[in-house]
Amino acid sequence: MSVPFVHAVAALLKRDYHNWIYVATPWTIFGAAVLGTGIILGGFWAYETLGWGGYWGWDPVENSSLIPWLVCLASVHTMLSQRKSGSHVRTNFILGLLAFMLVLYSTFHTRSGVLADTSVHSFVEPGMWAYIVLLAVIFVFTFIGFGLFFSRIKEMPRVKVDHSVYSREFALFLGASALIVFSIFVLAGTSSPLITGIVQKKASAVDVSYYEKTSLPIGIVIAVLSGVGQLLWWKQSRKNSLQRNLLSPFVASVIVTLLLILLGVRQIPIIFVMFSALFTLLANLTVAYQIFRGNPLVAGGSLAHVGMAFLLLGVIGTSYYSEKETLSLERDRPVHSLGCTFKYRGNHPIDNERYAFHVEVEKGGKKFLLSPIMYYSDYTKGIMRNPDIANLQTRDFYLSPVSLETPEQKNQKTVTLFKGKAERVGELRITFDDFDFADSERAKMMEGGQFSIGVKLTVENGKDKRTVMPKMVNSSSGVSYEPAVLGDLRINLVRMQPSNEDPSKSLVEVTIENGQEESQQERPETLVVEASIKPYINVVWMGAFTILVGFVMTVVRRAREARTRNYYK
């Protein structure tokens, strides 16, 4: 992002308001490719390694990488329009400067500690000196970039628009506008902890549903424009020709969408998203095929739009049609769930720390073995969990370990509690009420001292109801846990996972140990896992890879054009 920024600054210094676009375009596309690749790799890492069960959670830190990427994509589209018609002179300077400024803002957002209470990804509070340095960097580059821009704005030429609404220029303008609107919505939601912290003196994040409600309609608009725009000519398209070109992908998309409705798709927003994604997929495939027959290198834009359509379809499939169950698998005893039969076959050590837990899964007469991993990490002072995944072409079978209950743990039970939901453990009924993080403990954390976070639990046994609070203590020697004792019961905290975006998704994992002697027959070794089916996840990765290929082809094409025109000199 810094290279287009520097080109924009140099152009403002030289009063070159047009030629800089030819040099900056391939670098802007390259920046979009690199940043987009980083976002996808982060999602792939979370999905394949961390065992989160997904690749995107609308976390403020994730969003901080998305915002400059959206602005960069908008800049690519307006740059292409200026290359053809000379328009968008001021817009391209603003977007070229802003994409880099948003990277700096994202760095501040991530590293300053303002997200300490609202993001699972937030870094440790770095201290006031780092806070000031981050703000100073933003101020300096803002002053350089936008100071020059406003000093030159009166000199910039105003180009009269001579294209019609049935032109590729107008479609590029609408597409760039939709991307900017999308980035503004994400920026507002992501910045809510910072804004509420200043205004209300208490940081709070927006609910995840905010992003879902705003992204769906904008995604539909972007997808439709991505399909229509590729079928338009520069400056003017004939209506009859445009209608003929739109007819085939439109009719085919309607037919496929109707088939999906017959197969069970009922949500109106999802129907519209699928239709728009199918439409842009078919329209861009048609254009890409025609271009490939002539000059394949020119098909980069169409290919990137094809990838975007695949990505959108994959996201809808995995987000709205996944299935998930938490299972307790006693060794060698079959458990039926999700249309499969699970059988825990034991475990073996991989190295000094890590253990693989073997689960045999049978579905439709076919068997496969999954071996998720759990181990205690001295670095994090906690249990680390790595999932195992079986790729079944149209879906992934995803198995993430939760805990292991051994025969030695005679009266010990591990349970995952979601906020506000009661779970029955034997004769007990346990409810996770809330976290207890007092202002005094929060102040200790900000000062780098020892602090503790409690978990309020309600334990019911018949008519008796008690409130207990196991705690996590963070000190210079590491993280430790203080159990809550209730008669013969000891309740130990294993892990905490808060979610300020959606409090109902906050969870804790605890072990409940009965101090009385075991009178019943010893339980076999039991593995607790979270099993889920992720349909069409391969479409997500295929879409991301196709976008990257389209970016690379476009970078090569635009760089060659810049060298041919000697703009690099």
Side-chain angles (χ1 to χ4, degrees):
M1 296 296 101
S2 63
V3 181
F5 176 88
V6 171
H7 278 302
V9 170
L12 289 168
L13 286 170
K14 296 174 62 178
R15 291 181 166 86
D16 179 359
Y17 303 123
H18 183 69
N19 290 331
W20 76 282
I21 288 294
Y22 293 94
V23 182
T25 299
W27 281 104
T28 305
I29 300 169
F30 177 73
V34 172
L35 186 53
T37 301
I39 292 171
I40 290 296
L41 287 177
F44 187 79
W45 175 64
Y47 178 79
E48 290 272 347
T49 304
L50 296 185
W52 290 357
Y55 45 84
W56 192 261
W58 293 112
D59 183 87
V61 171
E62 295 173 334
N63 295 346
S64 294
S65 63
L66 177 65
I67 296 164
W69 187 67
L70 292 172
V71 173
C72 184
L73 290 182
S75 179
V76 170
H77 288 77
T78 54
M79 282 182 172
L80 294 176
S81 186
Q82 184 178 349
R83 291 163 63 102
K84 278 289 183 180
S85 64
S87 59
H88 305 301
V89 175
R90 293 172 177 79
T91 301
N92 282 319
F93 277 114
I94 292 173
L95 295 181
L97 298 172
L98 198 58
F100 178 64
M101 299 307 307
L102 287 169
V103 172
L104 297 181
Y105 175 73
S106 298
T107 306
F108 167 78
H109 218 227
T110 304
R111 295 287 181 170
S112 64
V114 297
L115 300 177
D117 302 324
T118 57
S119 173
V120 296
H121 296 120
S122 58
F123 291 85
V124 177
E125 170 68 45
M128 185 54 67
W129 69 271
Y131 192 92
I132 293 173
V133 167
L134 290 168
L135 284 178
V137 169
I138 294 175
F139 175 78
V140 168
F141 282 95
T142 302
F143 179 78
I144 292 172
F146 285 98
L148 271 171
F149 173 78
F150 286 111
S151 68
R152 301 283 198 259
I153 191 169
K154 293 182 180 180
E155 303 176 9
M156 295 181 187
R158 291 181 177 272
V159 178
K160 185 178 179 180
V161 175
D162 63 348
H163 55 75
S164 73
V165 294
Y166 300 104
S167 65
R168 188 169 294 183
E169 289 94 334
F170 189 67
L172 289 172
F173 165 74
L174 292 178
S177 300
L179 289 167
I180 293 298
V181 170
F182 188 16
S183 67
I184 291 173
F185 277 118
V186 178
L187 179 63
T190 304
S191 301
S192 61
L194 184 60
I195 297 170
T196 54
I198 295 172
V199 176
Q200 301 176 355
K201 307 300 181 184
K202 183 179 180 181
S204 61
V206 298
D207 191 83
V208 174
S209 61
Y210 163 84
Y211 297 107
E212 295 173 350
K213 291 176 181 177
T214 55
S215 62
L216 278 179
I218 298 176
I220 293 170
V221 172
I222 293 173
V224 171
L225 289 171
S226 299
V228 173
Q230 289 295 308
L231 300 174
L232 293 170
W233 293 99
W234 295 103
K235 292 192 176 182
Q236 177 70 46
S237 296
R238 293 180 180 178
K239 293 182 182 180
N240 293 335
S241 175
L242 177 61
Q243 290 172 357
R244 285 198 306 271
N245 292 333
L246 288 172
L247 185 61
S248 296
F250 178 82
V251 172
S253 301
V254 169
I255 293 172
V256 176
T257 304
L258 290 174
L259 289 175
L260 292 172
I261 294 173
L262 292 174
L263 291 173
V265 179
R266 292 291 182 268
Q267 303 96 321
I268 299 299
I270 302 306
I271 291 172
F272 277 105
V273 172
M274 286 186 168
F275 168 78
S276 59
L278 288 167
F279 172 75
T280 194
L281 174 63
L282 296 173
N284 280 278
L285 280 174
T286 301
V287 174
Y289 173 73
Q290 293 172 350
I291 295 174
F292 261 102
R293 296 174 62 184
N295 183 2
L297 193 60
V298 184
S302 297
L303 200 60
H305 289 146
V306 167
M308 186 271 292
F310 278 129
L311 183 64
L312 193 56
L313 289 170
V315 167
I316 293 299
T318 56
S319 300
Y320 291 90
Y321 300 101
S322 294
E323 300 176 75
K324 182 170 66 176
E325 293 286 348
T326 300
L327 308 173
S328 294
L329 306 178
E330 294 183 358
R331 185 162 182 168
D332 296 325
R333 294 183 182 178
V335 173
H336 304 282
S337 181
L338 299 175
C340 306
T341 301
F342 300 82
K343 193 176 290 185
Y344 171 48
R345 291 300 195 182
N347 62 80
H348 80 276
I350 298 175
D351 49 36
N352 293 332
E353 289 186 339
R354 299 185 302 157
Y355 283 79
F357 297 84
H358 306 299
V359 178
E360 185 181 277
V361 183
E362 183 177 355
K363 182 177 177 63
K366 296 181 180 180
K367 292 184 179 180
F368 51 91
L369 187 68
L370 295 176
S371 301
I373 295 171
M374 279 194 296
Y375 62 97
Y376 179 81
S377 170
D378 291 326
Y379 179 74
T380 63
K381 304 298 181 183
I383 301 296
M384 303 297 291
R385 300 166 175 86
N386 301 140
D388 197 9
I389 304 168
N391 189 284
L392 305 178
Q393 294 183 349
T394 60
R395 64 193 64 197
D396 271 6
F397 198 94
Y398 194 94
L399 200 67
S400 183
V402 176
S403 62
L404 180 71
E405 300 168 9
T406 62
E408 290 77 15
Q409 298 169 316
K410 294 181 179 180
N411 283 349
Q412 182 172 299
K413 175 73 175 178
T414 300
V415 62
T416 300
L417 303 172
F418 287 89
K419 186 176 180 180
K421 294 183 179 180
E423 292 287 342
R424 185 165 292 280
V425 183
E427 298 180 354
L428 301 176
R429 192 170 182 268
I430 303 177
T431 305
F432 165 37
D433 297 318
D434 204 352
F435 294 104
D436 183 77
F437 194 21
D439 291 338
S440 57
E441 296 298 319
R442 195 185 303 273
K444 293 177 184 178
M445 182 188 73
M446 301 299 285
E447 293 170 359
Q450 176 177 312
F451 65 92
S452 64
I453 302 176
V455 174
K456 294 180 181 179
L457 303 175
T458 298
V459 182
E460 300 177 67
N461 186 3
K463 297 180 179 179
D464 191 18
K465 180 188 290 187
R466 300 285 184 87
T467 299
V468 297
M469 191 184 301
K471 294 182 178 181
M472 181 203 76
V473 179
N474 193 316
S475 63
S476 57
S477 59
V479 176
S480 60
Y481 296 96
E482 293 182 0
V485 180
L486 183 61
D488 294 321
L489 292 177
R490 286 173 61 88
I491 302 178
N492 297 276
L493 187 61
V494 178
R495 69 180 176 114
M496 301 184 298
Q497 185 174 311
S499 175
N500 285 325
E501 295 89 349
D502 186 356
S504 65
K505 293 183 179 179
S506 296
L507 63 86
V508 294
E509 187 179 321
V510 298
T511 58
I512 302 162
E513 184 177 348
N514 194 333
Q516 296 179 344
E517 290 294 328
E518 175 79 22
S519 58
Q520 300 177 356
Q521 185 178 2
E522 187 178 271
R523 283 183 57 188
E525 181 179 275
T526 303
L527 177 68
V528 181
V529 298
E530 189 175 82
S532 56
I533 295 176
K534 309 288 184 182
Y536 310 112
I537 186 68
N538 286 340
V539 180
V540 174
W541 312 130
M542 180 176 66
F545 179 76
T546 305
I547 291 174
L548 177 60
V549 173
F551 277 148
V552 171
M553 293 172 62
T554 308
V555 169
V556 172
R557 174 192 175 188
R558 299 303 178 184
R560 285 181 178 177
E561 289 178 358
R563 291 191 183 94
T564 302
R565 294 171 179 259
N566 292 323
Y567 284 116
Y568 283 118
K569 295 182 179 180

